[in-house]
Amino acid sequence: MKELLEKYYEGQTTAEEEEVLRERMLSGDVPADMSADRELFLQMEAEKTQCPDAPDDLLGRLTDLIDSEAKKECDQHDSRKRVGIRHLSWWATAIAACAVLIFGITYLMRPVSYIREVEDPKEARVYINMAMSQFGKAMDCGHRQMEKVGNALEKLNSIHLTK
Amino acid sequence: MKKMIIMAILVAMFTITPHSVCAQGRMMEGNVPEVEILGQFEKAAPTLAERLGQIKGITSVYVSKAMMGLAGSMGTGIPKGMAGKLEKIHIFSAEEDGKSKELRSTAEKFMKENNYEVVMEVKDEGEGYMCIRMKELRKDCREFVLLSTDAEGEVSVIILTGNISEKDLEGLDM
């Protein structure tokens, strides 16, 4: 009996041996020096009987609880997603407003051109001739000025040589 | 995310500048292909003609290459060597005192800022003031600008654009 008890405390007993030990301890057929051990077994048995049986619907309730928690979690995720989408749509609106503003300002600030395109060949001829004659006149004037400078330099040279 | 959106807005704001609008202006003239404008945003700075074209109350005229071809059949003063090379002609003139000053100062300021080369400059009491400046816009395309002020104070700016050279202008010598 003592050997079996030591084996039990060391956790080396089998289920059958434990059952034998338990029965012997509870029956009271125990030596006096093992009364403390018997007391321990009696307490263990008392606790065991005090533990109420699990209700039949426990599994169902637990499953429901898990399902409801999972649903709650899912709802929270969805609401966060909706807030994210709302944020995104706010930004999209802001960007669109900015783009419209920029295009609007650019359109209003665009330089206005007062240049008229000549569409009549006769009128074009007049303008072309005017442009050509103006350039010709300018080139002519430039050459005349160059000639004047040339003549002046020649005169200076001749004066220098006569001296 | 917010930073990316702000960056996108800033990029959009810098992309849509008056330069791109000026490119639209050039499209109105119908001589610059749309593809070129879309592909060259960095080159879409306003030209002298576009800038002067914004002055209200002056005579601003544009003659396209096609119109030059039509007018050429009737005989123009364009020398033979220059006929096919000219792309366009712009003429701006102002008689009114305030407008003529605005035209001259705007043209001079633009040419100074854009480093136009002085080809010739004459200040004569009888003739007034005449100045020819040139700028190479791109390969085989130059812009010759004649800015003149006559004795009465009338200011005119004539812009010849095309694959023309100073030698071609020599041919215009009267």
Side-chain angles (χ1 to χ4, degrees):
Chain A
M1 179 76 175
K2 269 189 182 176
E3 276 175 22
L4 195 64
L5 192 66
E6 275 173 19
K7 209 177 165 186
Y8 175 76
Y9 285 135
E10 284 167 11
Q12 290 174 352
T13 47
T14 61
E16 289 83 25
E17 284 171 339
E18 277 176 24
E19 190 56 33
V20 170
L21 191 64
R22 192 181 70 85
E23 279 173 10
R24 288 276 301 273
M25 282 290 185
L26 295 175
S27 66
D29 183 20
V30 179
D33 61 332
M34 286 173 72
S35 58
D37 301 306
R38 184 177 176 264
E39 200 61 36
L40 181 72
F41 270 83
L42 284 168
Q43 273 182 18
M44 277 165 65
E45 194 62 26
E47 277 173 20
K48 206 175 171 184
T49 51
Q50 276 169 15
C51 187
D53 285 338
D56 293 339
D57 62 338
L58 182 66
L59 187 66
R61 274 158 61 192
L62 276 173
T63 311
D64 287 348
L65 187 69
I66 291 164
D67 284 351
S68 68
E69 285 298 317
K71 194 173 178 286
K72 226 184 268 178
E73 182 78 13
C74 201
D75 287 349
Q76 274 179 357
H77 180 75
D78 277 357
S79 67
R80 270 202 297 270
K81 206 173 168 184
R82 248 177 271 132
V83 169
I85 290 165
R86 219 176 294 144
H87 267 282
L88 198 69
S89 65
W90 188 89
W91 273 106
T93 314
I95 292 165
C98 282
V100 169
L101 194 71
I102 292 163
F103 277 107
I105 290 169
T106 314
Y107 182 77
L108 290 173
M109 286 176 73
R110 77 194 191 285
V112 180
S113 180
Y114 296 100
I115 301 173
R116 182 176 64 85
E117 186 172 350
V118 179
E119 286 169 347
D120 178 18
K122 282 180 188 171
E123 193 189 358
R125 189 174 165 236
V126 172
Y127 282 117
I128 293 164
N129 285 340
M130 191 187 98
M132 295 301 130
S133 73
Q134 286 284 315
F135 262 92
K137 193 179 159 189
M139 293 301 286
D140 188 45
C141 198
H143 285 145
R144 272 193 276 120
Q145 293 295 328
M146 289 293 284
E147 272 172 28
K148 275 184 191 175
V149 173
N151 291 338
L153 280 171
E154 266 179 32
K155 275 181 189 173
L156 275 171
N157 276 339
S158 62
I159 292 165
H160 183 71
L161 286 170
T162 50
K163 276 186 180 178
Chain B
M1 180 69 177
K2 283 180 187 175
K3 282 180 185 174
M4 278 177 71
I5 292 162
I6 292 163
M7 282 291 288
I9 292 167
L10 287 174
V11 167
M13 283 177 81
F14 281 102
T15 312
I16 307 159
T17 58
H19 297 327
S20 56
V21 178
C22 289
Q24 287 170 15
R26 251 183 287 171
M27 274 170 71
M28 279 164 60
E29 290 181 1
N31 57 333
V32 180
E34 190 178 349
V35 177
E36 188 191 353
I37 293 163
L38 294 173
Q40 299 183 356
F41 263 108
E42 70 281 7
K43 287 182 184 176
T47 63
L48 175 62
E50 282 165 354
R51 180 68 196 86
L52 299 180
Q54 291 166 21
I55 303 171
K56 197 179 178 182
I58 62 167
T59 305
S60 309
V61 173
Y62 159 69
V63 183
S64 67
K65 189 170 186 173
M67 193 49 64
M68 273 188 265
L70 280 172
S73 59
M74 291 189 277
T76 58
I78 304 174
K80 273 185 184 176
M82 201 174 169
K85 296 176 181 176
L86 259 179
E87 292 287 329
K88 53 188 170 181
I89 300 173
H90 283 96
I91 300 169
F92 302 91
S93 66
E95 290 173 20
E96 197 190 315
D97 192 40
K99 288 292 168 190
S100 57
K101 276 181 186 165
E102 189 185 349
L103 177 62
R104 183 173 170 168
S105 64
T106 308
E108 280 182 336
K109 191 183 167 200
F110 187 95
M111 289 193 282
K112 201 177 172 184
E113 282 173 355
N114 290 280
N115 305 315
Y116 277 64
E117 264 177 60
V118 177
V119 177
M120 182 218 83
E121 193 170 19
V122 181
K123 284 174 191 170
D124 190 274
E125 279 183 22
E127 303 281 352
Y129 170 80
M130 271 182 269
C131 175
I132 296 176
R133 287 174 197 244
M134 185 274 285
K135 190 179 181 186
E136 192 154 350
L137 299 177
R138 54 182 186 272
K139 201 191 171 195
D140 299 331
C141 186
R142 284 172 215 88
E143 193 173 76
F144 281 88
V145 184
L146 168 64
L147 172 65
S148 62
T149 308
D150 66 12
E152 283 84 43
E154 185 184 339
V155 173
S156 65
V157 177
I158 300 167
I159 306 168
L160 304 180
T161 312
N163 185 16
I164 46 174
S165 64
E166 286 169 45
K167 276 190 178 178
D168 292 317
L169 292 183
E170 297 278 340
L172 293 169
D173 203 350
M174 292 170 101

